[in-house]
Amino acid sequence: MSEHASSENPYGTPTTAGPEPIPSYQVLMNRVVRTLLRVPGISGIVGKRLMVLHVVGRKSGKVYDVPLAYTRHGDSLLIGTALRPWVKNLRAGDPVRGSFGGEPRTFVPVVHTAEADVLRLYEIVARDNKQNAKYNGIGFTADGSPSKADIYQTWQQGGAVVELTPH
């Protein structure tokens, strides 16, 4: 159970069981996405919703290329995710590189883990990308809004939002 866990969800009953486990085929899918983002022409289409974040391991110094779905929000990009190992390698103030099919760009990352921040920013991500919302255990209410109970549950289970601001 996450450090955020509490016995009661103040937003009501979640509509899902929470974020889906990482599928066994995810490594293969990541390779495919990384390849597509390198192909001229295709990268422009794929790069409108997906990017490769080049994350440096804090202990190993090795660069990990992590394909991710993102949401544009003002000048920044938002990535809704669980606290996966790649997220733990993002350090406050240390720029990170990201590719959309062209030359990598530099961003300053902020990992939002506070309840209010995750609820506010994950709602933006979920509204923009219903597939990402589903993968992260967020359903929708009858009026089409992301379920606050589900977003809260995702936060309880370690959900975070990474904000990337151009450097």
Side-chain angles (χ1 to χ4, degrees):
M1 197 172 269
S2 166
E3 65 192 59
H4 304 257
S6 68
S7 59
E8 209 168 299
N9 186 325
Y11 299 97
T13 304
T15 65
T16 74
E20 296 177 5
I22 296 174
S24 59
Y25 57 83
Q26 189 68 46
V27 172
L28 175 63
M29 290 302 299
N30 287 350
R31 281 189 200 138
V32 169
V33 170
R34 283 191 296 265
T35 300
L36 290 174
L37 284 169
R38 284 190 222 114
V39 177
I42 294 176
S43 63
I45 297 166
V46 175
K48 289 182 181 177
R49 300 290 279 176
L50 299 172
M51 69 181 297
V52 175
L53 196 61
H54 310 286
V55 181
V56 178
R58 58 186 190 280
K59 292 180 185 174
S60 69
K62 178 181 174 186
V63 176
Y64 297 93
D65 294 330
V66 185
L68 299 163
Y70 65 87
T71 292
R72 290 190 184 279
H73 181 63
D75 292 336
S76 298
L77 305 178
L78 301 177
I79 300 164
T81 185
L83 284 175
R84 309 248 185 254
W86 69 266
V87 176
K88 295 174 185 174
N89 284 319
L90 298 176
R91 292 171 289 288
D94 285 353
V96 64
R97 307 278 283 162
S99 300
F100 305 86
E103 287 296 313
R105 299 179 199 168
T106 303
F107 297 92
V108 175
V110 175
V111 179
H112 296 278
T113 58
E115 176 184 348
D117 292 338
V118 172
L119 290 172
R120 177 178 55 85
L121 295 171
Y122 231 129
E123 183 170 353
I124 294 165
V125 172
R127 282 183 188 281
D128 178 65
N129 189 332
K130 291 188 184 326
Q131 192 60 34
N132 177 278
K134 180 181 176 220
Y135 180 74
N136 285 290
I138 299 168
F140 292 82
T141 61
D143 71 358
S145 300
S147 164
K148 287 194 184 305
D150 291 350
I151 296 172
Y152 181 82
Q153 174 179 252
T154 295
W155 170 76
Q156 280 185 312
Q157 296 177 358
V161 176
V162 175
E163 182 175 9
L164 300 174
T165 304
H167 183 60

